[in-house]
Amino acid sequence: FIYLNRPAMHNSIKNIILMPFTFICWSLFGPTTTTYLLKDIGWTIKLPSEFKLEESSVIAKESKDGIVILENVSHLNINTTATKNLISASKDQLNQFNVTLSKSTAPNDHYWDSVNNNVLKIFYKAMVKQVPPDAKVDSSRTVETIDGIPFKSFRMDIKINNNLVVHNFIITKLYKGSTLSINYDFTDESVGEEIKKMIGESAFVK
C-alpha cells in the first residue's frame, strides 16, 4: 500500500463523501429531464426526471456513515469541512448520482494524480469490506472526456449472489485548483445509459 500524504489525502478523500449540496436549478427541459447549472464549476447537466434530489438530512447521514467507514479503512481522521456537494440525486437506493468539489493542495497534476490513486485504493478496499464475502468485485481505469476535458475514470463492477450487479463510477479531475468528483452507481443498465448520456451531453463554461 502506497504511503499517503495526510494533508493532501484529506482534501482528496472528501470527494467520495456526501455533504450538504448547493446548486442552481436553471430551467425545465422537456418532459424527461431537468437542467441544472452547477455554478461553482460552470457545468450544465440535464438530470433524468426519475432522479430526485436528496434531502439534506439524508446527505448528512450518508456523509457521517461514509466517514466512519473510510476512517476505519484508512486510519486517518477525515475532515470534510472544505468539501461541497454540488448535487445529489437518486432514483432509488441502488441508482444514484452526485457531484462534489474540494479545494486541493496539490501543486501540480502529477502530484494530484498520485494522491488520487491512493484515494481510489482506499475506496476500493472500503467497498470490498462492505459487500458479502462471496461477492465478485472487478475494477478498471480509463480516461473519459467530458465536453473536451479529460477526466480520470475509475469503475467497479460488484456481482452479488451471481445475480445483482452494482456498477460504480468515480470520475475525477484537478479542475481550477479543486478536485472535482462525479460519482454514480446503477444496477439498471437503462439507468446507466441515461446517466452516461447526461454526462456526455453536458457542458462546461469555458
Side-chain angles (χ1 to χ4, degrees):
F1 192 77
I2 299 174
Y3 170 77
L4 303 179
N5 179 284
R6 290 174 183 264
M9 181 65 186
H10 287 171
N11 279 333
S12 298
I13 202 170
K14 291 177 289 190
N15 295 284
I16 55 176
I17 301 296
L18 297 176
M19 293 292 290
F21 64 82
T22 58
F23 63 90
I24 291 181
C25 178
W26 193 20
S27 63
L28 187 66
F29 184 83
T32 60
T33 64
T34 302
T35 300
Y36 293 92
L37 170 63
L38 309 183
K39 68 173 186 177
D40 298 81
I41 53 176
W43 192 37
T44 301
I45 59 172
K46 298 173 183 177
L47 190 69
S49 59
E50 63 266 30
F51 275 75
K52 305 304 179 184
L53 297 180
E54 295 281 8
E55 298 288 341
S56 58
S57 59
V58 174
I59 297 172
K61 183 180 185 305
E62 291 178 340
S63 173
K64 182 179 179 180
D65 293 343
I67 289 171
V68 171
I69 293 170
L70 292 173
E71 286 186 334
N72 288 339
V73 171
S74 66
H75 306 294
L76 296 171
N77 293 319
I78 299 173
N79 181 355
T80 61
T81 56
T83 294
K84 180 182 290 187
N85 192 320
L86 303 183
I87 189 169
S88 290
S90 64
K91 179 179 180 181
D92 51 48
Q93 189 174 5
L94 295 176
N95 296 274
Q96 303 177 330
F97 171 82
N98 91 291
V99 182
T100 59
L101 189 69
S102 179
K103 188 67 177 178
S104 175
T105 59
N108 52 56
D109 285 347
H110 179 74
Y111 184 88
W112 175 87
D113 194 46
S114 176
V115 172
N116 192 56
N117 286 337
N118 288 331
V119 172
L120 293 176
K121 288 182 180 181
I122 288 178
F123 183 79
Y124 176 87
K125 186 176 180 180
M127 288 292 287
V128 169
K129 284 192 172 185
Q130 296 304 304
V131 299
D134 59 344
K136 182 180 179 181
V137 182
D138 294 319
S139 65
S140 61
R141 298 172 188 247
T142 187
V143 175
E144 180 170 344
T145 301
I146 303 175
D147 193 24
I149 302 172
F151 284 73
K152 299 294 177 68
S153 179
F154 178 71
R155 172 175 180 165
M156 293 180 62
D157 299 300
I158 306 167
K159 190 172 185 179
I160 303 173
N161 296 329
N162 293 316
N163 185 18
L164 177 65
V165 180
V166 180
H167 306 282
N168 173 267
F169 287 78
I170 303 175
I171 305 171
T172 52
K173 182 177 181 59
L174 180 61
Y175 188 71
K176 298 182 178 179
S178 295
T179 299
L180 171 59
S181 182
I182 303 165
N183 313 306
Y184 63 94
D185 307 274
F186 65 89
T187 55
D188 185 328
E189 293 291 342
S190 63
V191 173
E193 290 303 314
E194 283 188 287
I195 297 175
K196 292 174 184 178
K197 180 181 179 182
M198 172 188 70
I199 294 174
E201 295 178 350
S202 65
F204 284 91
V205 175
K206 298 184 176 69

